[in-house]
């Protein structure tokens, strides 16, 4: 099958907390305006981080190429090809989930898909997607929450446990750098990569798509540092108190939960979604960590395609 057509663009976005004109960059694989047979809803892909752009999720183009499903990627404001705001680093009142919910609504309306769409959110993107679904938007049909926590307390607890499995010298380096405020040092970065190679992506060498996202992060860590903190298990940003467990019952759409055996989103991190969302299904990838779309690409696409109705069960 020939690759799906591709369209890129930028959408104006404004926020009362800044006078800077903002733009959200997007890329569509497939066509939104031409009816397909069988019909395919647009799939909107929400990347993680926060502040780690869409590149590492590009394997999802397979869904457009194989099933003729329109797949929409975008970079959330503050990262990737969208507007950067480095002057807003550490501005806790600016970088909030509400900012990104507003951006998401703006994107849906601008593309004209707000009445009929599906969402796949990965990591922070799954948190954002769940928040969006809690608001019960009428156009949302199906939700995929991949490798995401419902609360940061369980996320940090799981990461701390996984950290104890790292070599002792790596643990010592991490602890010392955090204590001495050297989390931007080269030795801390090298120690972090040991964790990433076990619990973020187990493919060696790291896939080019993930390297591209990390390169963007290295250029500008404003959003990640402000909302998350210096690393996956050293969470000191505004998301430190994130907890939507009490609102998960408000999600009424069919929901697919995804995690990996070696994922930092361990089973206890995903469990609240499964317990509280009435129409939830859960798939755990046996050979993956935090990025099964890269680690078990073929199986990942089949699981997603079956859930979205592209493929017979």
């Amino acid at each position: 099958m020939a690759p799906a057509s591709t369209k890129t663009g930028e959408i104006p976005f404004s926020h009362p907390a800044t006078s800077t004109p903002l733009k959200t960059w997007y890329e569509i694989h497939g066509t939104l305006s031409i009816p397909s047979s069988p019909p395919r809803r647009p799939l909107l892909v929400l990347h993680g981080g926060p502040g780690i752009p869409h590149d590492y999720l590009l394997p999802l183009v397979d869904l457009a190429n194989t099933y003729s499903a329109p797949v929409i990627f975008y970079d959330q404001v503050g990262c990737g090809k969208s507007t950067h705001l480095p002057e807003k680093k550490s501005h806790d009142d600016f970088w909030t989930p509400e900012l990104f919910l507003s951006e998401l609504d703006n994107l849906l309306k601008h593309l004209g898909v707000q009445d009929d769409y599906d969402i796949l959110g990965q990591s922070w993107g799954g948190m954002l997607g769940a928040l969006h679904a809690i608001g019960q938007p009428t156009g949302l049909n199906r939700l995929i929450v991949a490798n995401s926590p419902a609360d940061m307390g369980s996320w940090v607890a799981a990461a701390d446990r996984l950290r104890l499995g790292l070599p002792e010298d790596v643990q010592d380096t991490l602890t010392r750098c955090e204590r001495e405020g050297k989390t931007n040092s080269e030795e801390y970065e090298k120690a972090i990569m040991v964790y990433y190679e076990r619990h973020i992506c187990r493919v060696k060498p790291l896939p080019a798509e993930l390297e591209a996202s990390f390169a963007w992060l290295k250029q500008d860590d404003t959003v990640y540092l402000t909302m998350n903190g210096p690393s996956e298990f050293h969470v000191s940003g505004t998301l430190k108190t994130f907890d939507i467990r009490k609102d998960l019952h408000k999600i009424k759409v069919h929901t697919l939960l995804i995690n990996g055996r070696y994922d930092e989103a361990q089973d206890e991190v995903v469990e609240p979604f499964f317990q509280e969302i009435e129409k939830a299904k859960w798939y755990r990838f046996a050979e993956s960590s935090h990025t099964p779309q890269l680690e078990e690409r073929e199986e990942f696409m089949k699981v997603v395609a079956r859930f979205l109705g592209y493929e017979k069960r």
Side-chain angles (χ1 to χ4, degrees), residues 77-304:
V77 67
C79 76
K81 298 177 182 179
S82 293
T83 304
H84 287 239
L85 295 160
E87 70 277 10
K88 293 288 187 182
K89 184 175 284 191
S90 301
H91 286 218
D92 295 357
D93 56 344
F94 182 79
W95 299 110
T96 64
E98 289 71 27
L99 168 71
F100 297 102
L101 286 170
S102 295
E103 183 185 31
L104 173 55
D105 288 341
N106 185 62
L107 177 74
L108 289 167
K109 290 174 184 175
H110 180 91
L111 295 178
V113 299
Q114 72 273 19
D115 295 329
D116 194 21
Y117 61 96
D118 298 321
I119 278 181
L120 185 154
Q122 197 276 335
S123 196
W124 149 250
M127 298 158 69
L128 180 61
L131 276 172
H132 179 73
I134 285 169
Q136 299 181 0
T138 56
L140 177 63
N141 285 275
R142 289 186 176 243
L143 172 68
I144 300 174
V145 177
N147 321 99
S148 307
D151 73 290
M152 289 304 288
S154 63
W155 173 272
V156 171
D160 286 344
R161 178 167 55 80
L162 294 174
R163 177 170 168 161
L164 292 175
L166 299 177
E168 197 165 320
D169 62 323
V170 173
Q171 293 186 54
D172 291 344
T173 298
L174 292 170
T175 301
R176 177 173 50 78
C177 288
E178 289 164 1
R179 184 178 64 246
E180 296 174 357
K182 296 179 179 178
T183 54
N184 60 348
S185 66
E186 186 177 343
E187 63 174 338
Y188 189 76
E189 185 176 326
K190 287 181 178 179
I192 285 290
M193 284 307 300
V194 178
Y195 178 86
Y196 284 6
E197 288 170 357
R198 294 184 180 201
H199 303 298
I200 299 292
C201 184
R202 297 171 69 86
V203 178
K204 294 183 180 180
L206 288 179
E209 298 95 335
L210 185 56
E211 290 278 23
S213 289
F214 282 163
W216 277 112
L217 178 62
K218 196 165 186 176
Q219 288 180 38
D220 186 357
D221 64 358
T222 298
V223 186
Y224 185 81
L225 194 63
T226 305
M227 295 187 72
N228 185 84
S231 70
E232 294 295 284
F233 41 73
H234 190 49
V235 179
S236 56
T238 57
L239 289 180
K240 187 175 183 178
T241 58
F242 182 92
D243 189 344
I244 56 173
R245 288 174 294 179
K246 64 180 176 58
D247 291 323
L248 292 175
H249 68 279
K250 297 177 184 177
I251 298 178
K252 301 302 182 182
V253 297
H254 289 278
T255 302
L256 174 64
L257 310 171
I258 287 173
N259 73 330
R261 177 183 176 186
Y262 306 101
D263 202 340
E264 48 188 350
Q266 289 282 289
D267 289 353
E268 65 268 26
V269 175
V270 179
E271 182 74 22
F273 289 110
F274 190 67
Q275 293 296 332
E276 299 298 330
I277 299 175
E278 182 182 356
K279 299 175 183 177
K281 295 183 177 181
W282 185 353
Y283 192 94
R284 182 173 180 253
F285 286 86
E287 302 300 327
S288 291
S289 57
H290 197 53
T291 51
Q293 78 279 2
L294 296 168
E295 297 164 294
E296 294 181 73
R297 180 168 177 166
E298 185 176 349
E299 181 65 15
F300 185 91
M301 300 309 156
K302 288 180 180 178
V303 169
V304 169

